[in-house]
Amino acid sequence: MLPSALEKAVYGVYATTAIHLADKHGVFGFLVDQAAPTAEIADKLGLDGETLDRLLVLLDSFGVIDRNEDGAYLVTPEMAPYLDPRSPRSVGGFLSHVMGSTIGRLPHLDGYLTDGKSAVDAALPAPFEVMYKTPKLTEEFLAAMWELTYDVSRELVPMAGLDQVGHLVDVGGASGPFCVAALEATPGLRATVYELPEVEPYVADTVEKFGLQGRLDFAAGDFHRDEFPATDCVAFGYILSGWTDETGLELLQKAYRACSDGGRVLIMDRLFDDDRRGPLPTAVMNLSMHVEAKGRHRTSAEFIGLLEAAGFVDCEVHRSTQDKQLVIGHKR
Ligand SMILES: C[S@@+](CC[C@H](N)C(=O)[O-])C[C@H]1O[C@@H](n2cnc3c(N)ncnc32)[C@H](O)[C@@H]1O
């Protein structure tokens, strides 16, 4: 028998697949509402009973779902916020992205080890050319970003000092999860999502859905080429972790130029512990950034070093209860 940590790591690929499929076919949504045996779930959801049974046995063994003494499977209240597709903390969108996109890029690591990342990437399309290749992929990616960002943003917004800000530019703000959380909590604030042109219709949908006409708008731009709109506050959510220190510094210097005096920059990202031995999701996504982008995850001290190099002062670190943390830099 393998030691427990190794066992979970080795067999994790099967659990990831099973969680993704159970989410995709509505199994978790069904089990959040009632406990049921395999045959009933298969019947109600129109799924093959034999395959479903093997997936459920595996998910029970991993402790993802539970089974009662009558042999009915259930989602415990502890797991429901993460498995219920209606919950803002559901892992479903993230896993769709992992299984639909990231998994196809992981085999590149082999070539990275032997030939180096730049040699392998030279023959590949740029990451966002792939992610925005079809409307389905675009929608899946933006849904995953919404899930990763909206809920935690409601924790980060009160720490960001937005009551001192009139206008916010969210660079690479996706379909607007951070902006919406900021606008909901801060009367009088206006926000702009600065994004690739492909994202504009999704921001328009967000404006419509949340009734944010006149408060949330869109600015098309390429952050590698263009300057940012003038503002009091520039936000980067899961952006700097996609890029090298050199590009990160260029982006922060653009933010400095865009910011009014007394303005601020918000870096919202995963943080490595100071010794870079965890947390585990940061270590995992640090590898993911290597195949999906050109970046890496950083410690708070590394972010502060970049902020200070760009001219920001009085940097602050604020932590949420989730994976995304906040580092603020101020412009004098
Ligand atoms: C990892 S997502 C982060 C989304 C969002 N900020 C969040 O925290 O959930 C990176 C975003 O950057 C945008 N992006 C990528 N390259 C860009 C570029 N060159 N110019 C502007 N936006 C870009 C993508 O469209 C995507 O929405």
Side-chain angles (χ1 to χ4, degrees):
M1 227 174 41
L2 296 173
S4 154
L6 186 59
E7 190 173 72
K8 289 227 158 51
V10 167
Y11 295 118
V13 64
Y14 292 90
T16 307
T17 306
I19 297 170
H20 168 59
L21 290 174
D23 174 73
K24 178 176 172 186
H25 292 283
V27 176
F28 293 137
F30 184 79
L31 291 180
V32 164
D33 293 333
Q34 69 255 284
T38 305
E40 186 185 331
I41 309 167
D43 186 43
K44 287 274 164 45
L45 300 179
L47 300 173
D48 175 65
E50 166 75 20
T51 309
L52 180 64
D53 188 56
R54 291 172 194 248
L55 290 171
L56 292 170
V57 166
L58 179 140
L59 289 170
D60 181 31
S61 297
F62 266 92
V64 174
I65 57 172
D66 203 357
R67 201 172 75 174
N68 67 22
E69 61 236 15
D70 301 329
Y73 288 104
L74 56 118
V75 169
T76 63
E78 186 197 4
M79 291 290 184
Y82 309 100
L83 297 182
D84 186 344
R86 295 155 294 195
S87 156
R89 291 193 184 190
S90 156
V91 295
F94 171 68
L95 284 183
S96 289
H97 173 66
V98 170
M99 298 303 284
S101 171
T102 318
I103 202 150
R105 300 182 76 89
L106 286 177
H108 297 318
L109 287 169
D110 195 3
Y112 285 8
L113 279 173
T114 50
D115 304 329
K117 177 173 165 66
S118 32
V120 175
D121 283 359
L124 299 172
F128 282 98
E129 270 172 43
V130 181
M131 280 184 224
Y132 293 157
K133 200 166 176 190
T134 66
K136 183 169 178 286
L137 283 174
T138 309
E139 258 175 61
E140 273 176 14
F141 175 73
L142 292 173
M145 286 301 115
W146 190 280
E147 274 179 19
L148 279 181
T149 289
Y150 177 66
D151 192 56
V152 69
S153 294
R154 294 197 293 182
E155 275 190 58
L156 297 175
V157 161
M159 305 177 212
L162 293 178
D163 45 343
Q164 296 158 51
V165 165
H167 178 244
L168 154 80
V169 171
D170 191 5
V171 174
S175 55
F178 176 70
C179 286
V180 171
L183 292 170
E184 283 176 336
T186 323
L189 181 70
R190 284 185 311 108
T192 300
V193 171
Y194 175 95
E195 259 287 358
L196 295 170
E198 292 92 322
V199 181
E200 181 164 13
Y202 299 90
V203 174
D205 287 349
T206 301
V207 170
E208 191 67 29
K209 183 172 169 196
F210 290 88
L212 291 170
Q213 295 82 354
R215 293 188 71 202
L216 178 61
D217 61 13
F218 183 84
D222 174 345
F223 57 52
H224 296 303
R225 285 201 330 240
D226 308 320
E227 292 291 313
F228 304 151
T231 187
D232 309 315
C233 176
V234 177
F236 294 102
Y238 290 142
I239 299 295
L240 299 188
S241 51
W243 301 100
T244 59
D245 283 356
E246 192 187 13
T247 305
L249 180 57
E250 280 167 17
L251 294 178
L252 289 171
Q253 286 166 333
K254 279 186 187 178
Y256 190 86
R257 291 194 289 275
C259 257
S260 53
D261 289 346
R264 62 189 56 210
V265 64
L266 312 176
I267 298 176
M268 293 171 288
D269 228 307
R270 295 172 192 275
L271 292 179
F272 259 124
D273 297 338
D274 291 345
D275 62 5
R276 287 175 55 84
R277 295 192 68 193
L280 184 134
T282 303
V284 170
M285 296 313 290
N286 186 49
L287 186 62
S288 196
M289 287 299 102
H290 200 48
V291 289
E292 294 196 90
K294 294 178 189 302
R296 65 185 181 90
H297 283 297
R298 298 180 173 87
T299 63
S300 57
E302 287 177 305
F303 275 131
I304 290 172
L306 287 175
L307 282 167
E308 289 178 348
F312 291 98
V313 294
D314 300 333
C315 299
E316 304 164 37
V317 180
H318 298 268
R319 290 178 189 273
S320 73
T321 61
Q322 303 183 45
D323 290 338
K324 201 175 200 178
Q325 317 301 347
L326 169 65
V327 184
I328 305 179
H330 296 267
K331 181 167 172 177
R332 258 192 249 282

